[in-house]
Amino acid sequence: MPLAPQTRAALAMLAAVASFAFMDAGLKHLAASYPPMQVAALRGAASLPFILAWVAATGAFATLWRVRWGLQAFRGLTSVMMIACFAYGLARMPMSTAYTIFFIAPLLITALSVPLLGEKVGPRRWTAIVVGMIGVMVVMRPTGEGALSLAALAVVLAATGYAVSAITVRVLSRTDSTASMIVWLLFFLALGAGLLAWPDWVPIRRADAWVIVGLGLAGAIGQYALTEAFRTGEASLLAPLEYTGLVWSLLLDLMIWGVLPDSVTWIGAGIIVASGLYLLRRDRIVHAGDADPPPPPGTLGGDEAGTGNR
C-alpha cells in the first residue's frame, strides 16, 4: 500500500534533516584540522558533483543559465561567510549548542523581512522574536560561564547570513529555477571560499578523504530529500520537523565526542524552539486570513523546494 503524499513528504523532511546533521558532523570533524574558510570550500566542492549528477538526471541543465547573476553571486558569497563562521563555531563548541544558537535563523528571517522585503510583522510575532533572542542570551549567558565567546558570536553571524541568504531566495525564486539556486550556491561557495582559503591552505590528509566524500554525499542527499519534501508536502506541516536536527546533534555529540549540553542550554533551547514554533503557528493563522504574507521560501515555514543553504 503506497504511502500518502504528506507521509512521504514528512519522511523525506526527516531524512533531509538527518543528512544535514551528519554533514555538519563532518564539518565539525574537518574544522578541527583545517581553517574555517577551507572547510567552507570543501563543503561546496564536495557536494557539487553529486548535485550536478542530480541536475543531469532531471534534465534541468538548461535552467542553470537563465539566472540573475548578481543575486546568485551575492547569495553564494553570503554563504561563504555563513559556512566559514558555522565551521568556526562547530570546532569550538558541541554541535547541539551550535544548533541551538543557529535556530534563531527563522526569527531573524521574520525580523529582516520587514526592512528588506517591506513585509508586515504584527506585535505577537515581534514578541516571539524578542523571546527567542532572550533564549539565545540564556544559552550564551554573557554574565556567567555560558557559551558567550567568539565561537558563539560566529554562529550568530552564521545564522544572520542564513537569514539574508534565505530572503535572497525569496527574490530569486520569482525568476530562477531551484536547480540553478542550488548549483550556483555551491559553485560560488567553493570558488569564493577556495580563493580566500588558498594562502593558508592546509594539505588534505588521506585519512580525511572519506570524510570529505561523505560530507558531499550527505549534503547532496539532504538537498534532494528537502526538495522532495517541499515538492509534495505542505511547508507549514514540514517546517517544525527541522527541529529534529537538535535530536540528531545531541546523539552525534554523545556518540562521537562524548559531550552533552548543560541544563541552562536546554532551557535556552526550549525557549528558542518554542518561539520558532509559535512563529510558524502565527504564520499559518495570518496566511489563512490573508492578512500577512507567508514566510520566506527555503526556510523554516517557507514554500520553496530544496533551497536550503547549509
Side-chain angles (χ1 to χ4, degrees):
M1 181 177 178
L3 295 174
Q6 288 298 331
T7 302
R8 292 201 308 272
L11 291 175
M13 186 65 179
L14 289 172
V17 173
S19 296
F20 284 132
F22 279 94
M23 182 193 77
D24 288 338
L27 287 177
K28 181 174 175 63
H29 173 84
L30 294 174
S33 305
Y34 304 96
M37 203 59 71
Q38 182 173 345
V39 174
L42 291 173
R43 188 277 181 260
S47 286
L48 191 55
F50 296 106
I51 291 297
L52 287 174
W54 168 62
V55 171
T58 56
F61 261 117
T63 69
L64 298 184
W65 313 106
R66 299 189 297 272
V67 298
R68 300 169 69 175
W69 290 108
L71 279 179
Q72 291 278 6
F74 172 77
R75 179 170 176 249
L77 294 177
T78 300
S79 294
V80 169
M81 178 272 292
M82 181 193 72
I83 297 294
C85 288
F86 193 59
Y88 180 88
L90 281 174
R92 291 159 177 82
M93 64 174 61
M95 270 186 68
S96 50
T97 303
Y99 265 49
T100 297
I101 298 173
F102 195 84
F103 276 143
I104 65 165
L107 310 177
L108 293 174
I109 290 167
T110 302
L112 290 174
S113 69
V114 176
L116 297 182
L117 296 175
E119 295 183 353
K120 296 179 181 178
V121 173
R124 294 183 183 180
R125 293 167 76 189
W126 277 118
T127 301
I129 292 169
V130 171
V131 170
M133 297 302 178
I134 292 173
V136 173
M137 296 305 294
V138 169
V139 175
M140 296 173 68
R141 278 161 287 167
T143 60
E145 297 296 323
L148 182 61
S149 61
L150 284 177
L153 295 176
V155 176
V156 171
L157 188 58
T160 305
Y162 180 93
V164 172
S165 181
I167 289 176
T168 305
V169 167
R170 178 72 176 267
V171 180
L172 281 171
S173 63
R174 299 167 186 164
T175 55
D176 297 12
S177 69
T178 295
S180 71
M181 286 189 280
I182 299 172
V183 168
W184 294 119
L185 169 72
L186 294 173
F187 172 81
F188 285 117
L189 176 60
L191 178 64
L195 290 174
L196 291 173
W198 188 253
D200 301 311
W201 190 270
V202 175
I204 296 172
R205 299 178 302 187
R206 183 175 299 180
D208 289 329
W210 68 271
V211 179
I212 296 171
V213 173
L215 173 80
L217 182 60
I221 291 174
Q223 204 70 69
Y224 173 78
L226 190 69
T227 301
E228 286 300 300
F230 281 105
R231 185 178 65 84
T232 58
E234 293 181 22
S236 59
L237 299 178
L238 295 174
L241 297 179
E242 189 158 345
Y243 287 115
T244 60
L246 188 55
V247 177
W248 282 108
S249 69
L250 288 167
L251 291 174
L252 291 167
D253 267 343
L254 185 59
M255 290 188 301
I256 300 175
W257 294 283
V259 297
L260 283 175
D262 58 23
S263 57
V264 180
T265 300
W266 281 102
I267 294 172
I271 295 172
I272 296 169
V273 171
S275 300
L277 291 175
Y278 179 78
L279 269 183
L280 289 171
R281 180 175 177 274
R282 287 300 303 168
D283 286 331
R284 291 189 68 185
I285 292 173
V286 228
H287 191 213
D290 216 18
D292 214 1
T299 67
L300 285 174
D303 58 5
E304 173 63 29
T307 54
N309 298 296
R310 286 187 301 170

